[in-house]
Amino acid sequence: MAIAPQAPPGQRVPAFLELEITEQCQLTCPKLCYAKAGPKKGHGSLSTADWKSVMSEAAELGVQRVQFIGGEPTLHPHFEELIHHALHVGLDVQVYTNLYSVTSMHWRWFAHPRVSLGTSYYSDVAEEHDRVTGRPGSHAATRANIQLALEKNIRVQVGVVGVFDGQRITQAREELVELGVARVNLDHVRSVGRAEVHPPSQADLCGRCADARAAVMGDGTVVPCVLGRFLPTGNARDDGLAAVFDGQAWKDVAASIPRAAVGCPPADSNDCSPANTPACDPAYD
Ligand code: SF4
């Protein structure tokens, strides 16, 4: 099967930037986690000052929205300082959280009018969800916090990812819609990180990476999205975002990703995330 390279139609500086601010997570998701996150992992090598500097530059360049992701981004010790800074420099924020444990401080930020939530849910059956996350009790915690977010009128979108055969993903989506979640996307697991079954390639991406979106890893490496973490294009801290997005490596990587098939949501719709991606794949000829 031949890949059809094609330069992305989006602007040079992506409007949407994922920030992988930590590798720490209460869960392990043994057959899913692209970041190989877990309870004993750290917070990367970028300092809080570095992240703030990256966000300031992003806002100056025209980035409109950042997504805090990890790992579990709320576990970053300076989460509050980071989200405050993002909003202060004019960036909208999505927090991609597992909603496993939410403090009153987190709820206050989640209710901010320029903050939204993304989360993942794997089945309407607790045992199936907990099998994916690797942590008993995670289904009950996440489900309860999804309900609480809805009661608080917080915008939340949920990704349902199929990881093993027979998993009740359709029933999970129906349950979420019944709960009142307005936006539920189904996807399949992709061969990245702990889900790797073959070396990842552009064929494992959804086809919209680098097209109005990019991601910054915990060491500052800029990649086309968190799933495209195997495609480094420069370093946000050492080189600066402007130089990266103007560089040949970024252009080459962007051109190497076949664009999403017809029918997928637009690139700036924030649907191409590890667990909130409809089942889009790159286009092939
Ligand atoms: S997939 Fe998400 S919730 Fe699961 S271990 Fe990785 S970061 Fe944590």
Side-chain angles (χ1 to χ4, degrees), residues 178-203:
E178 269 183 34
L179 286 175
V181 179
R183 193 161 170 185
V184 182
N185 296 320
L186 295 186
D187 195 16
H188 56 84
V189 67
R190 297 169 189 271
S191 179
V192 179
R194 289 200 187 106
E196 189 173 315
V197 290
H198 55 254
S201 74
Q202 281 84 339

Side-chain angles (χ1 to χ4, degrees), residues 88-109:
H88 176 70
V89 297
L91 296 164
D92 291 344
V93 178
Q94 183 180 68
V95 182
Y96 206 98
T97 167
N98 57 33
L99 287 179
Y100 177 73
S101 176
V102 186
T103 67
S104 54
M105 179 272 282
H106 297 135
W107 283 123
R108 275 199 305 280
W109 285 106

Side-chain angles (χ1 to χ4, degrees), residues 22-30 32-39 69-73 75 96-100 119-120 122 132-134 194 274-275:
T22 183
E23 293 177 351
Q24 200 171 96
C25 187
Q26 308 96 326
L27 313 179
T28 55
C29 298
L32 171 66
C33 188
Y34 59 90
K36 300 184 178 177
I69 194 166
E72 169 52 37
L75 293 180
Y96 206 98
T97 167
N98 57 33
L99 287 179
Y100 177 73
T119 194
S120 303
Y122 303 108
V132 173
T133 66
R194 289 200 187 106

Side-chain angles (χ1 to χ4, degrees), residues 111-215:
H112 190 286
R114 284 170 43 222
V115 174
S116 63
L117 295 183
T119 194
S120 303
Y121 191 70
Y122 303 108
S123 175
D124 61 327
V125 174
E127 291 73 19
E128 286 191 5
H129 178 100
D130 294 352
R131 176 180 164 192
V132 173
T133 66
R135 181 143 191 177
S138 60
H139 178 269
T142 296
R143 189 182 188 285
N145 283 323
I146 289 172
Q147 282 186 293
L148 202 45
L150 294 169
E151 286 169 19
K152 292 174 180 283
N153 291 317
I154 293 170
R155 286 175 294 155
V156 54
Q157 67 183 73
V158 184
V160 180
V161 184
V163 178
F164 58 84
D165 290 343
Q167 188 183 326
R168 292 168 58 90
I169 56 172
T170 308
Q171 294 88 342
R173 174 164 64 179
E174 288 168 359
E175 182 190 24
L176 290 163
V177 170
E178 269 183 34
L179 286 175
V181 179
R183 193 161 170 185
V184 182
N185 296 320
L186 295 186
D187 195 16
H188 56 84
V189 67
R190 297 169 189 271
S191 179
V192 179
R194 289 200 187 106
E196 189 173 315
V197 290
H198 55 254
S201 74
Q202 281 84 339
D204 295 297
L205 306 177
C206 79
R208 286 161 300 177
C209 322
D211 180 7
R213 68 173 52 244

Side-chain angles (χ1 to χ4, degrees), residues 50 61 70 100 106 119 195-196 213 223 229 233 240 252 261-262:
D50 289 333
L61 292 175
Y100 177 73
H106 297 135
T119 194
E196 189 173 315
R213 68 173 52 244
V223 293
R229 59 204 306 112
T233 65
D252 290 346
V262 173

